[in-house]
Amino acid sequence: MTSVELVLAIVKILIVVLFLLNMAAIATWADRRQGAMVQDRVGPNRAVVYLPSLVVRGIVFFPPALLAALSVFTATRPASAPAAAETMVAAAQFAVAVAWLGLIVFCASARSGGPINPAEEALARVEPRNIFYGGVMAHVAVFFLTQAVPLSAAPIVARIACVLLGALLLVTGAYAALRVPEGKIPLRLLGTLHAAADAIKMIWKEDFIPKNADRLLHSLAPLLAMFPALVTFAVIPFGDKLCFEDNGDGVFGFGDLPLLKRTVDQAFTCSGHVVNLQVADLNVGILYIFAMAGTGIIGAALAGWASDNKFSLLGGLRAASQMVSYEVAMGLSIVGLFIIYGSVRLGDMVQWQAEHTWGIFVQPLAFILFLAALAAETKRIPFDQPEGESEIVAGYFVEYSGMKFGMFMTGEYVELITSSALLVTLFFGGYHLPFLDRDGINIAFGDATLFQYKMTHFAVSLTYVLAFFGKTILMAWVQVFFRWTLPRFRYDQVMRLGWTKLLPLTIVNMMVTGVVVLAVDSAPAGLVGGLQVAADVTHAVVALGGFAAVVALIAGLLEPVERQRTVNSTSSRFAAAAGGTKASPQQA
């Protein structure tokens, strides 16, 4: 392994670990905050930090000023015509985004705090949703306008676009900073300070160990619970392969730092050095995940036994038996995917989905079964019987305090994020996006290509990475949503569901999948071509549905909130308005 490969391996590990730990903290915050909202409590949103207005103005003005300087610096650098064309498109689209985002912020400020000039008075009368819709149409118009610019004129137009973008950023940042009022400005961080305070508090809390407990195993259990959750992510690809150019000496080192290749083709022809955006590309793939996930239950079982507490022991036994019940169903539920993908390597699975269709369309029943088994495996509601507060106090970690308890909790939420990433990889295309290939956007149905837009290798790779982490966050939110809505099952119901419902369904799904795959393999070429067109249609459905969901989400967030009082008087007045109460003699 060369020095650059070692550095890249360390960088990949840091990316994965930092993502898991930060998302675990955010998921903890989401559970607490949304639980408070569901139960109509105040929740962790009371912490306020007061900052001087001068400091707030500097915080508001610094990011756009820095981006403006970077934009002007980009305009001064010479570039070839293809690179200038890409810079022109990016600068123009960024300018449109800055324009409509700034108008929405100023519109919201004028509506809430009152306009400060005639322009804001006119802006306050505009619906924020209309500004967003206008911004979307402006993005489309700018895209086609930039495509119409000749390649020879791209460098000049790119310089002009970068300068205009810098000026727009500078003006927007200055105006936003001037809108900050005088005096102390209250800063609410939506309860995120509570998560940081809890982490610091757990570090300094007393480490309590029961008198008759096994001290070694009691201390070892939190490590065994958290370590497998972290290392399981190692084989999950969070992006496509990177191709670094070779300077001719065949050495991948720091002497002449290799640069990322400008463009690659769909077949990923790379004559230089290939780097997988994956910590470890193992041949066993998904089998490694099952092996590591299975060892995580040892921590819960040891914690229950070593604590010398009957409630802890019950929690550990529940965790072990639940793991045995649902590990079988979870493994068998994705055997159909192995048959279809033809590999157990996660990178090959993602590539198959990119060339055909996402796994959710070919194995919808397997997704439901795998999601249920995964929730039980990670001990999430409604399968959190090993830590049922209403039955066994707190389950297997009832005798833990301080940072050891924090490690159990962190490990549980790391398992949530890792399981979300695994769901995305198996069923939702991993890092892949519809019609986005390694060389750019290619909208095609079968052999008919409708639209092509070439992109650089860096742009495609960055989009893939952002898409993977975005999908993972969305899937984690879906799993957290279960905690807000579903009640806890009884323990006998959990066992019955695993053995009498999930296991038979997984076997049936596996057998039906095998029969269908054999039938497709022996089908004529016309049917296979029709299936490929149907797969391309599913990509179109996902693309249109995703775009519509984003537009609907932003439009819903920008919709003005209408509050209406539903209770206007006391219950006695309501009763009087309804005809009064019936009087009857009091009886014992």
Side-chain angles (χ1 to χ4, degrees), residues 36-83:
M37 292 174 63
V38 170
Q39 300 173 19
D40 197 20
R41 294 185 282 110
V42 176
N45 191 25
R46 292 164 289 183
V48 180
V49 177
Y50 291 95
L51 298 177
S53 59
L54 184 61
V55 175
V56 176
R57 287 173 181 170
I59 294 174
V60 172
F61 180 70
F62 179 74
L66 183 61
L67 291 175
L70 181 62
S71 179
V72 174
F73 175 74
T74 304
T76 60
R77 292 178 60 84
S80 60

Side-chain angles (χ1 to χ4, degrees), residues 484-504:
W484 310 337
T485 54
L486 298 177
R488 179 184 297 127
F489 294 158
R490 291 202 318 265
Y491 189 65
D492 62 308
Q493 293 174 333
V494 173
M495 293 293 103
R496 190 179 301 114
L497 176 66
W499 289 112
T500 65
K501 300 296 189 300
L502 291 187
L503 183 58

Side-chain angles (χ1 to χ4, degrees), residues 284-292 338 344:
V284 291
I286 190 71
L287 303 181
Y288 166 83
I289 292 181
F290 285 142
M292 289 295 102
F338 300 161
V344 296

Side-chain angles (χ1 to χ4, degrees), residues 255-495:
D256 187 6
L257 189 65
L259 299 176
L260 199 66
K261 192 175 180 181
R262 180 173 178 78
T263 58
V264 295
D265 54 11
Q266 293 191 27
F268 200 81
T269 304
C270 180
S271 58
H273 305 279
V274 178
V275 175
N276 291 319
L277 290 182
Q278 187 178 5
V279 176
D281 187 13
L282 304 180
N283 293 329
V284 291
I286 190 71
L287 303 181
Y288 166 83
I289 292 181
F290 285 142
M292 289 295 102
T295 60
I297 203 63
I298 298 176
L302 284 182
W305 183 84
S307 296
D308 189 39
N309 185 297
K310 60 181 180 182
F311 297 115
S312 297
L313 182 59
L314 286 175
L317 292 175
R318 285 186 176 187
S321 59
Q322 187 168 304
M323 186 273 295
V324 172
S325 301
Y326 285 89
E327 189 88 13
V328 178
M330 185 172 67
L332 292 178
S333 64
I334 59 174
V335 171
L337 290 178
F338 300 161
I339 299 174
I340 295 173
Y341 295 156
S343 174
V344 296
R345 301 179 67 169
L346 296 176
D348 295 340
M349 296 180 182
V350 175
Q351 191 59 34
W352 188 96
Q353 295 176 78
E355 296 173 356
H356 299 87
T357 184
W358 286 3
I360 184 67
F361 294 104
V362 294
Q363 288 283 281
L365 179 60
F367 168 71
I368 298 173
L369 298 175
F370 187 76
L371 179 61
L374 202 60
E377 186 72 12
T378 55
K379 304 181 289 297
R380 298 282 300 175
I381 283 181
F383 301 99
D384 64 335
Q385 283 72 20
E387 50 196 66
E389 295 90 349
S390 60
E391 307 165 20
I392 50 177
V393 186
Y396 56 90
F397 52 78
V398 66
E399 295 289 0
Y400 283 87
S401 63
M403 201 56 203
K404 290 180 180 177
F405 171 80
M407 293 178 68
F408 273 116
M409 187 178 67
T410 304
E412 178 180 330
Y413 282 98
V414 169
E415 288 178 354
L416 168 68
I417 307 304
T418 303
S419 63
S420 301
L422 184 59
L423 281 169
V424 167
T425 304
L426 294 177
F427 295 98
F428 294 96
Y431 52 80
H432 178 257
L433 288 176
F435 302 119
L436 180 61
D437 297 322
R438 287 164 171 166
D439 59 346
I441 299 174
N442 296 289
I443 301 179
F445 295 91
D447 296 330
T449 301
L450 304 181
F451 177 79
Q452 281 187 336
Y453 178 71
K454 300 300 180 182
M455 297 173 62
T456 62
H457 182 36
F458 173 77
V460 173
S461 301
L462 181 62
T463 305
Y464 278 156
V465 172
L466 295 178
F468 174 80
F469 288 127
K471 290 180 188 179
T472 302
I473 293 172
L474 180 61
M475 187 55 61
W477 179 86
V478 171
Q479 293 199 70
V480 170
F481 184 77
F482 294 160
R483 188 181 185 91
W484 310 337
T485 54
L486 298 177
R488 179 184 297 127
F489 294 158
R490 291 202 318 265
Y491 189 65
D492 62 308
Q493 293 174 333
V494 173
M495 293 293 103

